[in-house]
Amino acid sequence: MKHTDIRELFAHTDGYADTTVTVCGWVRTARDSKNVAFLEVNDGTSFRNLQIVVDKSRSSEETVREAMDAMAVGTSLTATGRLVTSERNGCELELETLTVLGKCPAEYPLQKKRHTQEFLRTIPHLRIRTRYFEAVFAVRDQLAQAVHAYFHSHGYRYVHAPIITGSDCEGAGEMFRVTTQPWNASYESEEAYYADDFFGKKAGLTVSAQLEGEMAAMGLGRIYTFGPTFRAEHSNTTRHLAEFWQIEPEVCFADIDDIIGIAEEFIKSIIKSVMENCPDELAFFDQWVEKGLIDKLNHVLNSDFGRVDYTDAIEILQKSGKDFKYPVSWGCDLQTEHERYLTDEYFAKPLFVVNYPKDIKAFYMKQNPDGKTVAATDLLVPGIGEIIGCSEREADLEKLTAAMTARNMPLDAYEQYLDTRRFGTVPHSGFGLGFDRMLMYVTGVGNIRDTLLFPRTVGTL
Ligand code: 4AD
Ligand code: MG
């Protein structure tokens, strides 16, 4: 259908002013009075709606009739008219002709201007038509483009890691199984059962692309992956999904300090890109979702992230005088309440917590000389907690296999991974950024279920 995007009309109003244009879209709101009617139309290309003005005294009877037919919220239409500049709206369309493409009866659930997020979660297929989700998805898109732009301009290769895999990277037992086999009780053992399955062995959905990423980096130097990640976590929280998106760079010849520097530069770069390219959406979030959001993001861009040793963080928490639900002692994993105290109250900015106890972290992390900690860091941000898990990798074959054996991991399943340490091992580091959590941080959206189209969480598909 020949028409002009509404985005284009707002972007180049001067060029279109006083010419006849055709637009397509859906009615977001409509107002009618005796002499004039207004239809606010959105076609998905622009966060701003285009106002169509129906001057009843100057329009043909048929045009008025069609326009009245289009007054129901959600109606799809195509409209032609003269584009005029408007002080209030930038530009408006003075209607000449209008055709309803699809009617929208009163059962359409999105009648009100604002609905609760809880209600909208029950209609994920329709909520994408609201301003809130339009803004979320504009920023989500921009953030993704910015991720690729950052790595591309810094000499990283974008690689695609498999989604179906046989190895569990995080070792937390949260893998979803992939199978084509119906249940059958006649097998003698688990192995025999899996041997008959599609791949001839047990398979699952990836919890992280890191291990494949490390192997790729050994040939390509610097790589990143950006793909879906799956975890059968039973955490029913505002920041856990069963299917989320993760960005995982892997960098050879980089130690823990190098990768922390890269992570900070990267986070700032993608925030800056959103601020430059999505000003209307951020203004919306600042007004309706998180007051002060734009100031917060500016502050993040213009200050250094904090850095604290895990051991010191424990001391800060112990001296905080706070009545935490989970008690704090050296060796404990930081709970959300602890992370929030550190980022929201004590440091009041993004914070790298460095050198965690080895027993609460994954097998692949570089063992520090103290024998107790690993060169690992989590980036915590105010309001959310952990958005990045990061570490220097253990490059020494013997130390690595010792850590795996201590965790009862089957070494034979990781033979290819161990070859990275056998053949030309190098110091290398990487991290994983939870993309959906990052989107929460830049928009102020408070529940991770509101960052993607069809969120998957325990019990909800
Ligand atoms: O800290 P995680 O588990 O780290 C890894 O997977 C490493 N292999 C990454 C690497 O070094 N290449 O996960 C990384 C990030 C977390 O910081 C968090 O932001 C996000 O992934 N994440 C989740 N996001 C949503 N829902 C979940 N269930 C998540 N689990 C982790
Ligand atoms: Mg983590």
Side-chain angles (χ1 to χ4, degrees), residues 14-86:
D14 287 348
Y16 289 97
D18 299 316
T19 68
T20 299
V21 298
T22 298
V23 297
C24 297
W26 293 267
V27 174
R28 282 288 169 80
T29 60
R31 275 180 296 137
D32 188 22
S33 66
K34 193 157 159 263
N35 301 319
V36 59
F38 299 98
L39 295 162
E40 286 211 16
V41 174
N42 191 290
D43 66 356
T45 66
S46 162
F47 192 52
R48 292 159 79 183
N49 298 330
L50 180 70
Q51 175 148 284
I52 297 179
V53 184
V54 191
D55 182 340
K56 294 184 185 173
S57 62
R58 283 182 33 210
S59 305
S60 72
E61 245 174 60
E62 199 197 328
T63 299
V64 174
R65 202 178 328 113
E66 279 279 348
M68 290 305 110
D69 261 2
M71 297 297 282
V73 172
T75 303
S76 53
L77 56 77
T78 173
T80 300
R82 203 165 67 98
L83 195 80
V84 295
T85 54
S86 136

Side-chain angles (χ1 to χ4, degrees), residues 155-192:
Y156 289 69
R157 300 274 180 234
Y158 174 34
V159 301
H160 299 105
I163 287 171
I164 301 176
T165 174
S167 64
D168 179 357
C169 172
E170 294 304 305
E174 291 161 347
M175 266 180 118
F176 284 101
R177 264 181 51 207
V178 172
T179 179
T180 53
Q181 287 217 104
W183 163 247
N184 187 328
S186 68
Y187 288 100
E188 272 169 26
S189 66
E190 239 187 297
E191 282 72 36

Side-chain angles (χ1 to χ4, degrees), residues 362-436:
F363 72 95
Y364 51 72
M365 295 173 174
K366 184 178 167 65
Q367 297 156 33
N368 285 329
D370 64 12
K372 295 191 306 192
T373 63
V374 283
T377 181
D378 283 353
L379 176 63
L380 315 179
V381 296
I384 296 176
E386 177 191 341
I387 61 166
I388 279 181
C390 173
S391 63
E392 182 171 343
R393 316 310 190 188
E394 180 52 71
D396 182 273
L397 179 66
E398 275 176 28
K399 287 187 184 162
L400 182 62
T401 49
M404 294 171 79
T405 309
R407 287 170 172 78
N408 291 321
M409 292 172 64
L411 291 189
D412 51 337
Y414 292 83
E415 277 307 311
Q416 294 182 345
Y417 178 67
L418 292 173
D419 274 353
T420 55
R421 276 51 167 189
R422 287 192 187 106
F423 307 130
T425 188
V426 296
H428 64 289
S429 303
F431 64 82
L433 169 69
F435 184 67
D436 319 275

Side-chain angles (χ1 to χ4, degrees), residues 89-266:
N89 297 319
C91 61
E92 299 174 346
L93 190 85
E94 289 183 351
L95 186 68
E96 283 160 17
T97 60
L98 185 150
T99 307
V100 169
L101 299 175
K103 290 192 181 245
C104 192
E107 299 94 272
Y108 181 53
L110 298 174
Q111 298 294 343
K112 284 194 297 187
K113 226 172 172 173
R114 295 196 77 189
H115 297 272
T116 65
Q117 292 304 108
E118 289 75 20
F119 170 68
L120 291 174
R121 268 172 228 140
T122 66
I123 46 167
H125 62 302
L126 295 176
R127 67 178 184 172
I128 187 68
R129 305 177 182 205
T130 64
R131 268 178 93 59
Y132 189 100
F133 284 93
E134 220 186 305
V136 166
F137 283 91
V139 176
R140 192 173 174 107
D141 169 52
Q142 186 59 43
L143 206 55
Q145 306 297 339
V147 166
H148 289 299
Y150 175 86
F151 288 121
H152 189 67
S153 66
H154 286 78
Y156 289 69
R157 300 274 180 234
Y158 174 34
V159 301
H160 299 105
I163 287 171
I164 301 176
T165 174
S167 64
D168 179 357
C169 172
E170 294 304 305
E174 291 161 347
M175 266 180 118
F176 284 101
R177 264 181 51 207
V178 172
T179 179
T180 53
Q181 287 217 104
W183 163 247
N184 187 328
S186 68
Y187 288 100
E188 272 169 26
S189 66
E190 239 187 297
E191 282 72 36
Y193 175 72
Y194 293 127
D196 256 3
D197 206 343
F198 190 87
F199 296 103
K201 57 160 118 169
K202 191 174 177 179
L205 296 177
T206 184
V207 297
S208 162
Q210 178 190 326
L211 302 189
E212 292 88 357
E214 282 187 61
M215 298 183 226
M218 294 300 152
L220 302 171
R222 280 201 288 284
I223 64 94
Y224 72 105
T225 64
F226 185 176
T229 307
F230 307 86
R231 296 202 186 161
E233 278 185 284
H234 284 265
S235 325
N236 205 348
T237 77
T238 54
R239 26 173 243 152
H240 285 93
L241 291 165
E243 177 178 310
F244 64 99
W245 286 70
Q246 204 181 166
I247 295 141
E248 299 187 88
E250 198 64 40
V251 188
C252 287
F253 318 111
D255 64 18
I256 185 76
D257 293 325
D258 296 325
I259 197 73
I260 285 177
I262 292 168
E264 178 166 342
E265 185 188 71
F266 164 66

